[in-house]
Amino acid sequence: MAEYKHGEMDITVQEKTFEQFIKWSMRVGIFSIGVLIFLAIFNG
């Protein structure tokens, strides 16, 4: 079994994936809020 040394693993791919996930989540959240505001204004 290989020796494990804390903090030496390359995690750049995981960091980029997480960054893209956060950006996507923010866009979906903002879009959803926009749709709710649109419905509140023009639905009634």
Side-chain angles (χ1 to χ4, degrees):
M1 184 177 223
E3 288 290 322
Y4 174 74
K5 295 182 182 176
H6 184 73
E8 290 189 0
M9 189 171 110
D10 182 21
I11 60 168
T12 55
V13 174
Q14 289 86 351
E15 288 175 339
K16 288 179 183 177
T17 302
F18 182 71
E19 182 180 335
Q20 292 299 319
F21 171 75
I22 294 299
K23 284 181 183 179
W24 181 82
S25 298
M26 290 293 292
R27 289 178 182 158
V28 169
I30 291 169
F31 176 76
S32 298
I33 291 170
V35 167
L36 290 173
I37 291 171
F38 176 81
L39 289 173
I41 292 172
F42 295 106
N43 196 24

